[in-house]
Amino acid sequence: MESLSLLPMPQSLTMLPGMYVATSAQRILLQGTAPGDLLFTARRLQNALRACAGVEWELTATPEGPPGEIGATLRVAADSVIHPQGYALTIKDGGIIIEAPEPAGIFYGVCTLIQIIEQSGRSLPCLHINDHPDFAARGVMIDISRDKVPTMETLLMLIDMLAGWKINQVQLYTEHTFAYRNHPDVWARASPLTGEEVLALDAYCKERFIELVPNQNSFGHMHRWLIHPRYAALAEIHGEFQAPWGVMRGPFSLAPEDPDSLKLVRSLYDELLPHFSSRLFNVGCDETVDLGQGRSRDACAQRGVGRVYLDFLLKLYDAVKQHERTMMFWGDIVNNHPELIDELPRDLIALEWGYEADHPFDRHCAHYAAAGIPFYVCPGTSSWQSIAGRTDNTLGNLRNAAENGLKHGAIGYLITDWGDMGHWQVLPISFLGFAVGAAFAWAYAANRDMNVPAAVSRHAFTDPTGAMGQVAYDLGNVYRAVGYEPPNSSVLFWVLQAPDSDARDLPPLDFDRALDAINAAIQPIAVERMIRPDAPLILQEFDNTVRLLRHACRLGQLLTQPDGASALPRRRLLNDDMREIIREYERLWLARNRLGGLSDSVARLERVRARYNPQEQTP
């Protein structure tokens, strides 16, 4: 048979001679723990055997019976493997045995076994696997605040997919999209998650050995709160301020010197945290770029911007401790003031994030390690501000984080997926980053040279032909064909978002080459054979993504190669094209996401279409 494709590939796999053939009327034996601890895991195995091997295996807690009746044994044994999340999986002529010291290890072993069954049917190759994770915490963070709030169906699908890749932590990045009972004006148009939905998600995650970690930004990125009259007085600034990437207009951050800022945040924690069983809590606190430019100007002048930031962070730390949680926070601001790292409490977790392939994970991780601060490395999918992803950067960023996280002793690896400036990318664009990141987080050495298109195709898109993985991989590299690679984004994204930007300092942009790259990248989709329930939707999502990329190229051509005689007809064609793109964009949005945020996102596309009014001046 073909070599097995597993995601993640295990730490150690030894193929043995022979095959084991599953037959009907066998049983799955649960041993070494309360049977209920393994029931959900065993039922996942039952379902896979039924669907892919055509056999029905009963669950049992007693081994009695004729020889050969026990087809699989799931055994919790304290001395089976050393790592608490590790497992050993053996397939031999006498049956299947999975052993682990904890039920979580049994679950991970079953995840691997299910992938083997999916590829082998009832004739399973004999083998032995010893496996355990490199990083104890392996997470994915989804942005549900700019602007997509996924439906429950989407979230459950995603959790199932991630659990199968041994992800054990999920965070939902929240600014204003939890339905706080005392703050309805903030989330009124956002279609937020309710407390009841969070309780259901928490329970769903726990069955799959995933920790649903609460996440509420608590300092910067509070614009969605501070624009309302009730909270406006808490803003650091309402006018213009200088950010590292240019001039912005407030409000943006809470004013840290105002006691009512802390009072507001405490009230949010009081309502949010009881919905989660996790004892972790991510309070955000990233990118407080307006600090010292408004109400805290004098305090920052006297004590320093870093000190004012740290003082407020420590107040949040105290608030989190009162809820008996461990505080997590984004580490970008303290990285700018490394002299303050030694003052951080040793029982919080710093989140070292960076999204370029050359991000200085090595230097930043070394600071946390030297100070004894527990930390995660947090790379990203590079899907946001790109339309179709940035494959080469994604892989470089994920590798960089894994290598330096392992080098410096990171306790977690958190893959982030953001939605800046309209959340234009469709969810399947992020599958590549999720899958590869999950593999690197579990066993980096065993997965660093993986065949990414083939693995993503089989395990994310359930397409054994390799076509969909290749399309996602190549379409994600179209950003490189234009000839310039802005940080954390792509030229084609910015052509649509800010077509009037000054391009005089840029190298020549080759939109013809980008169009050729798009056309080449999409060719394999003709032979895809996805078996996911949402396969038709994925094809439609990729089709509209391709239309948006092509539209950006044609607008780029118009902007860089204006032709007075043909400009007006070209504008009319672009206008009609964008109208159809928006119509389909709205339909696809609602297939996976709630209504809230759609109008804000579409408004950005409508601004593009407004340029094509024939009465406007030709560029």
Side-chain angles (χ1 to χ4, degrees):
M1 63 171 291
E2 285 179 36
S3 61
L4 286 172
S5 171
L6 301 176
L7 193 125
M9 286 297 294
Q11 301 279 3
S12 169
L13 185 157
T14 303
M15 301 303 298
L16 304 175
M19 306 288 287
Y20 173 69
V21 180
T23 62
S24 296
Q26 292 182 284
R27 294 189 292 162
I28 301 170
L29 175 63
L30 314 183
Q31 282 191 324
T33 187
D37 293 345
L38 300 178
L39 186 60
F40 177 79
T41 300
R43 284 179 173 161
R44 282 176 71 99
L45 177 56
Q46 258 187 332
N47 292 338
L49 288 163
R50 181 184 306 114
C52 303
V55 297
E56 291 281 350
W57 285 12
E58 181 184 348
L59 305 184
T60 183
T62 57
E64 287 81 5
E69 187 177 79
I70 301 299
T73 299
L74 311 182
R75 180 182 299 128
V76 176
D79 59 351
S80 56
V81 293
I82 296 174
H83 196 285
Q85 296 183 50
Y87 68 92
L89 165 61
T90 303
I91 304 174
K92 56 185 181 180
D93 56 5
I96 303 165
I97 300 174
I98 299 177
E99 293 185 305
E102 300 288 344
I106 299 294
F107 180 83
Y108 301 139
V110 165
C111 288
T112 300
L113 177 58
I114 287 173
Q115 291 183 6
I116 296 171
I117 294 168
E118 288 172 342
Q119 295 169 64
S120 307
R122 66 170 60 194
S123 298
L124 306 179
C126 292
L127 52 76
H128 180 73
I129 290 173
N130 270 313
D131 205 8
H132 63 270
D134 284 345
F135 292 91
R138 304 168 302 283
V140 166
M141 190 226 71
I142 308 294
D143 187 346
I144 65 167
S145 293
R146 284 103 45 89
D147 288 298
K148 289 176 177 173
V149 181
T151 63
M152 284 292 284
E153 180 182 13
T154 299
L155 288 170
L156 298 182
M157 175 277 291
L158 192 56
I159 288 164
D160 272 324
M161 185 172 75
L162 297 174
W165 302 338
K166 305 180 177 67
I167 289 293
N168 67 349
Q169 187 180 114
V170 166
Q171 299 187 26
L172 302 176
Y173 170 75
T174 304
E175 293 174 3
H176 66 300
T177 48
F178 177 76
Y180 289 103
R181 295 177 64 85
N182 294 322
H183 308 281
D185 45 342
V186 173
W187 51 260
R189 296 176 59 248
S191 302
L193 289 177
T194 66
E196 182 174 349
E197 287 174 323
V198 171
L199 291 169
L201 283 173
D202 190 83
Y204 196 84
C205 286
K206 284 181 73 174
E207 282 187 321
R208 291 151 180 81
F209 296 90
I210 288 176
E211 184 175 7
L212 183 66
V213 174
N215 181 314
Q216 171 61 64
N217 221 329
S218 308
F219 196 173
H221 289 281
M222 293 294 283
H223 167 77
R224 298 280 194 171
W225 291 79
L226 300 171
I227 56 174
H228 296 280
R230 179 179 170 188
Y231 313 99
L234 300 180
E236 168 70 14
I237 189 171
H238 282 276
E240 289 187 345
F241 63 90
Q242 184 66 47
W245 47 83
V247 176
M248 293 179 60
R249 175 171 290 278
F252 187 72
S253 298
L254 289 170
E257 298 294 288
D258 188 330
D260 286 339
S261 292
L262 183 61
K263 183 178 178 182
L264 170 65
V265 171
R266 283 182 175 274
S267 74
L268 303 186
Y269 297 177
D270 290 344
E271 183 173 353
L272 177 69
L273 293 178
H275 294 89
F276 294 82
S277 58
S278 171
R279 308 319 294 172
L280 302 174
F281 178 30
N282 185 352
V283 301
C285 299
D286 59 314
E287 296 185 324
T288 53
V289 290
D290 52 340
L291 192 59
Q293 299 185 57
R295 297 176 61 200
S296 67
R297 180 179 288 107
D298 291 345
C300 290
Q302 293 168 9
R303 300 181 352 245
V305 172
R307 175 65 57 191
V308 171
Y309 175 88
L310 181 62
D311 287 348
F312 190 70
L313 186 73
L314 293 177
K315 292 174 183 176
L316 299 179
Y317 166 82
D318 289 338
V320 173
K321 291 289 285 185
Q322 289 178 13
H323 286 274
E324 299 181 335
R325 313 274 173 145
T326 296
M327 187 178 90
M328 312 170 90
F329 76 102
W330 302 115
D332 54 308
I333 303 300
V334 296
N335 284 336
N336 294 334
H337 304 276
E339 71 281 0
L340 300 178
I341 290 178
D342 278 336
E343 298 185 39
L344 293 171
R346 270 48 179 178
D347 60 347
L348 49 63
I349 298 173
L351 302 174
E352 168 50 31
W353 64 270
Y355 305 132
E356 295 303 310
D358 61 354
H359 179 75
F361 281 114
D362 190 9
R363 184 172 75 251
H364 292 171
C365 292
H367 290 159
Y368 292 119
I373 305 295
F375 67 96
Y376 286 17
V377 284
C378 306
T381 62
S382 300
S383 62
W384 61 96
Q385 298 187 153
S386 72
I387 304 174
R390 297 188 294 147
T391 299
D392 285 350
N393 185 78
T394 305
L395 300 179
N397 183 229
L398 294 168
R399 287 192 183 100
N400 182 0
E403 289 174 359
N404 287 294
L406 290 171
K407 176 181 177 180
H408 294 288
I411 64 171
Y413 186 102
L414 181 66
I415 308 154
T416 62
D417 192 59
W418 297 99
D420 301 50
M421 303 189 74
H423 214 143
W424 281 358
Q425 78 275 15
V426 294
L427 180 60
I429 295 299
S430 301
F431 285 178
L432 183 148
F434 292 155
V436 176
F440 289 177
W442 180 267
Y444 178 61
N447 290 277
R448 63 185 165 199
D449 297 322
M450 65 191 292
N451 183 332
V452 171
V456 170
S457 196
R458 177 176 290 279
H459 297 288
F461 292 103
T462 63
D463 174 18
T465 72
M468 280 308 300
Q470 193 67 57
V471 168
Y473 186 98
D474 291 341
L475 206 61
N477 268 335
V478 166
Y479 80 104
R480 307 204 72 177
V482 185
Y484 174 64
E485 299 173 29
N488 204 30
S489 58
S490 72
V491 166
L492 296 182
F493 177 84
W494 287 115
V495 165
L496 298 174
Q497 287 274 350
D500 297 317
S501 297
D502 191 343
R504 285 175 296 182
D505 294 330
L506 299 182
L509 304 179
D510 195 339
F511 295 105
D512 293 335
R513 184 173 174 228
L515 278 170
D516 290 342
I518 295 165
N519 294 335
I522 203 65
Q523 290 303 310
I525 209 165
V527 298
E528 64 78 25
R529 294 293 182 270
M530 286 185 287
I531 57 173
R532 290 176 57 112
D534 60 351
L537 175 59
I538 289 175
L539 292 175
Q540 293 160 12
E541 289 172 320
F542 269 84
D543 180 68
N544 212 44
T545 296
V546 167
R547 288 195 68 171
L548 199 53
L549 289 172
R550 286 175 174 154
H551 189 100
C553 289
R554 289 167 185 147
L555 175 55
Q557 291 171 331
L558 184 66
L559 295 170
T560 57
Q561 305 163 18
D563 183 336
S566 65
L568 186 57
R570 289 160 72 190
R571 282 177 174 274
R572 286 172 174 159
L573 289 173
L574 287 170
N575 181 64
D576 292 343
D577 186 48
M578 182 54 74
R579 182 185 295 110
E580 293 177 13
I581 287 171
I582 290 172
R583 186 181 300 118
E584 181 70 351
Y585 182 89
E586 291 173 331
R587 187 186 70 81
L588 294 172
W589 178 292
L590 294 174
R592 295 196 192 273
N593 306 286
R594 307 170 196 220
L595 181 62
L598 175 57
S599 61
D600 287 348
S601 183
V602 167
R604 293 177 176 271
L605 293 170
E606 288 287 4
R607 285 199 290 272
V608 179
R609 197 169 75 85
R611 292 181 53 84
Y612 305 139
N613 188 310
Q615 303 189 357
E616 290 183 348
Q617 182 180 355
T618 302

